[in-house]
Amino acid sequence: MAQQTNPALNSLIIYELSVMNLTEKHNFDGVIDELDRIRDLGVDVVWLMPIHPRGEKMKFGECGSPYSVRDFRAINPAYGDFDSFGRLVKEVHARGMKVMLDIVYNHTSQDSVLVENHPDYFYQDADGKPMYRFWNDVYDLDYSNEALCDYMVETALMWAKLGVDGYRCDVAPMVPLNFWSRARAEMDKINPDFIWLAETHHYPFLTRMRDRGWNLHSDAEMYQAFDITYDYDIWPHFDACFSGGSLRAWTDMVNFQECEYPPEYIKLRCLENHDQPRFASRVKNWRELENWLALLYFEKGMTMLYSGQEFAPQKAVGLFDADDAYCDKRRDLQPYLRQLREMKRTLPQDACFQLESVDERAVVGRYDGVKLAVRGVFDLRGGKDDVRVAVGLADGSYTDRISGRQITVQDGRVRLSDAPCVIG
């Protein structure tokens, strides 16, 4: 991981939103309207999905993809202008939160200003025309061109000078690591506290692209330039938990991360995002949902919420049109998420983190340090029998850090009916 990375990032909550989809206003003013409520969830960082004009050529859906960018230095006029963006940044900061922009440096739309003015910035086919490697609505940028590198670094610095506090970097491993290292070094001169989050890849995608001859970077490599990487390195094991796969296989991979990466590594932990199903559609009942949410906040790493998740929707948001992120409210989870935020603040940052699956039903989480032991108990698949699970704590009564209830440890075990709970 980057030497400058602040370990306190592990305790933060990040909230992903699309300006187009957040409210019926579909603009920056609509986001401002929601900021008090977002802040009250305990959010530290507001992540804005790409705010730039969207490509028209080969576009997906009514509006096109937000990740098909026409101009990295412009604002989608449907959202507002630089003045209204400045107001949004000011209002986020006034509430004690940071602004993170989603940047898409691997490619542009096929009708972008760079395709028009600098076709030499792109990978080219045998006929000398810009080409794509994976997504057919875009063209891929070629960072062997030093002029492109200069342009993109200057662009990154431009938005930072407008008050942006961090970047979520789309498909970051597809962009050369030496570019990211250079961009970070230049950013450090302006804001050494700038946050760098890499969307890293599922390992099958990484392998497939390398087989095609493209040099994609692993998570371990990306930590040289980034503070935080996605949890996608083990996401296939998480996915399998909801399609007949093993809970144990996933927890084993979480534990593997603890020894695979530097001790200060930071993972972005989430249950859903704009590329994944709504999590409420993957569980059977509210109890399972509450237990998975509690485990999400308990895990070591930065916790991410995707807009609307606080209302337990099952319908995915259509990113290629003006869909409403809050059109499918099934339950108000906001009070519960505030409880989980307070619990997360009490977790140690310098202890060994491990998960243990129990009979393919529950997970016991552990933070162990020299003089501390914190345990989380999560009943993820439910059952009618009230079994006890071992937690490795002395017998007695403990205060649950989520609800404030008293939890009894007897013979070193806790009842699953008390889950979710965090004690110690």
Side-chain angles (χ1 to χ4, degrees):
M1 62 188 298
Q3 292 181 347
Q4 311 96 313
T5 295
N6 182 354
L9 295 176
N10 255 316
S11 65
L12 300 189
I13 309 296
I14 185 170
Y15 188 92
E16 178 192 6
L17 66 88
S18 164
V19 176
M20 175 72 76
N21 305 108
L22 187 70
T23 72
E24 293 181 354
K25 290 184 177 180
H26 310 301
N27 60 22
F28 293 139
D29 288 339
V31 177
I32 292 173
D33 292 343
E34 292 291 311
L35 287 180
D36 286 339
R37 189 185 61 78
I38 292 172
R39 174 204 58 200
D40 290 346
L41 290 174
V43 170
D44 303 288
V45 181
V46 177
W47 156 14
L48 305 177
M49 293 171 63
I51 62 171
H52 312 296
R54 304 185 184 194
E56 291 291 327
K57 187 176 180 180
M58 298 288 291
K59 74 176 183 180
F60 297 146
E62 175 187 355
C63 301
S65 169
Y67 293 92
S68 177
V69 174
R70 293 183 65 189
D71 188 347
F72 293 116
R73 297 184 177 184
I75 288 173
N76 188 331
Y79 299 168
D81 54 22
F82 278 95
D83 287 338
S84 57
F85 176 72
R87 287 196 300 274
L88 172 58
V89 171
K90 181 180 179 180
E91 293 295 338
V92 172
H93 289 164
R95 290 162 175 80
M97 298 182 290
K98 296 181 182 296
V99 176
M100 178 176 284
L101 282 193
D102 204 329
I103 60 173
V104 191
Y105 278 17
N106 175 66
H107 51 257
T108 76
S109 69
Q110 294 188 8
D111 54 358
S112 74
V113 295
L114 293 186
V115 171
E116 180 180 351
N117 299 321
H118 297 282
D120 56 313
Y121 283 4
F122 296 83
Y123 287 105
Q124 297 178 353
D125 62 20
D127 296 323
K129 297 179 180 179
M131 59 174 282
Y132 66 89
R133 292 177 288 178
F134 195 77
W135 297 278
N136 63 5
D137 63 326
V138 298
Y139 291 142
D140 283 13
L141 293 162
D142 180 2
Y143 282 84
S144 66
N145 187 316
E146 195 61 29
L148 168 65
C149 296
D150 293 340
Y151 180 88
M152 299 304 270
V153 169
E154 291 168 4
T155 303
L157 298 180
M158 182 198 91
W159 292 101
K161 291 173 182 177
L162 294 175
V164 173
D165 305 291
Y167 288 139
R168 179 267 187 187
C169 302
D170 187 63
V171 293
M174 297 182 77
V175 175
L177 185 57
N178 59 6
F179 168 79
W180 292 125
S181 296
R182 175 188 167 188
R184 176 156 195 157
E186 293 297 320
M187 188 67 74
D188 284 347
K189 299 174 184 177
I190 296 175
N191 180 5
D193 296 321
F194 202 83
I195 303 171
W196 292 87
L197 163 63
E199 183 204 19
T200 44
H201 296 306
H202 307 61
Y203 66 81
F205 180 80
L206 187 72
T207 302
R208 187 163 69 251
M209 295 302 284
R210 284 181 172 179
D211 285 346
R212 296 180 182 180
W214 304 106
N215 182 27
L216 269 68
H217 303 296
S218 68
D219 287 42
E221 292 173 296
M222 297 303 288
Y223 276 124
Q224 296 176 46
F226 285 85
D227 301 306
I228 312 153
T229 65
Y230 262 45
D231 207 13
Y232 275 0
D233 54 332
I234 63 171
W235 192 267
H237 298 278
F238 172 75
D239 258 343
C241 292
F242 307 96
S243 57
S246 167
L247 192 62
R248 171 68 179 274
W250 172 66
T251 58
D252 283 350
M253 292 305 297
V254 173
N255 296 339
F256 178 73
Q257 289 176 331
E258 191 74 359
C259 66
E260 174 70 5
Y261 300 119
E264 301 85 5
Y265 80 100
I266 303 175
K267 278 290 178 183
L268 182 72
R269 309 291 188 181
C270 68
L271 298 177
E272 63 180 77
N273 58 52
H274 67 269
D275 287 320
Q276 304 299 334
R278 284 296 199 180
F279 188 75
S281 70
R282 309 187 86 167
V283 294
K284 300 183 183 69
N285 52 54
W286 298 122
R287 176 171 166 75
E288 285 188 21
L289 178 60
E290 289 177 352
N291 273 266
W292 275 104
L293 283 167
L295 176 54
L296 169 68
Y297 277 72
F298 182 84
E299 281 187 272
K300 178 180 177 179
M302 177 183 276
T303 303
M304 196 202 88
L305 296 174
Y306 179 40
S307 59
Q309 186 175 356
E310 60 269 39
F311 299 112
Q314 294 184 347
K315 179 183 179 296
V317 177
L319 296 181
F320 309 141
D321 54 43
D323 203 354
D324 182 355
Y326 299 131
C327 64
D328 185 29
K329 293 183 179 180
R330 295 174 180 268
R331 188 173 186 178
D332 186 358
L333 297 171
Q334 293 177 104
Y336 183 57
L337 296 179
R338 288 192 284 269
Q339 287 181 304
L340 295 180
R341 179 65 179 99
E342 292 306 309
M343 176 272 290
K344 186 175 181 67
R345 287 184 171 132
T346 72
L347 297 176
Q349 299 300 315
D350 56 354
C352 178
F353 169 71
Q354 295 279 276
L355 296 181
E356 177 189 0
S357 66
V358 181
D359 298 330
E360 288 299 320
R361 169 180 172 178
V363 163
V364 175
R366 303 169 183 268
Y367 283 95
D368 286 307
V370 176
K371 297 182 179 179
L372 61 86
V374 178
R375 300 290 182 264
V377 180
F378 312 98
D379 190 3
L380 302 180
R381 291 181 170 165
K384 296 181 179 179
D385 54 326
D386 189 13
V387 301
R388 293 178 177 270
V389 295
V391 293
L393 295 176
D395 287 1
S397 181
Y398 295 80
T399 300
D400 175 21
R401 300 187 186 199
I402 301 173
S403 66
R405 298 172 298 150
Q406 291 303 299
I407 305 296
T408 299
V409 176
Q410 183 178 349
D411 298 326
R413 296 174 176 270
V414 168
R415 291 183 180 276
L416 275 186
S417 59
D418 287 329
C421 64
V422 176
I423 58 177

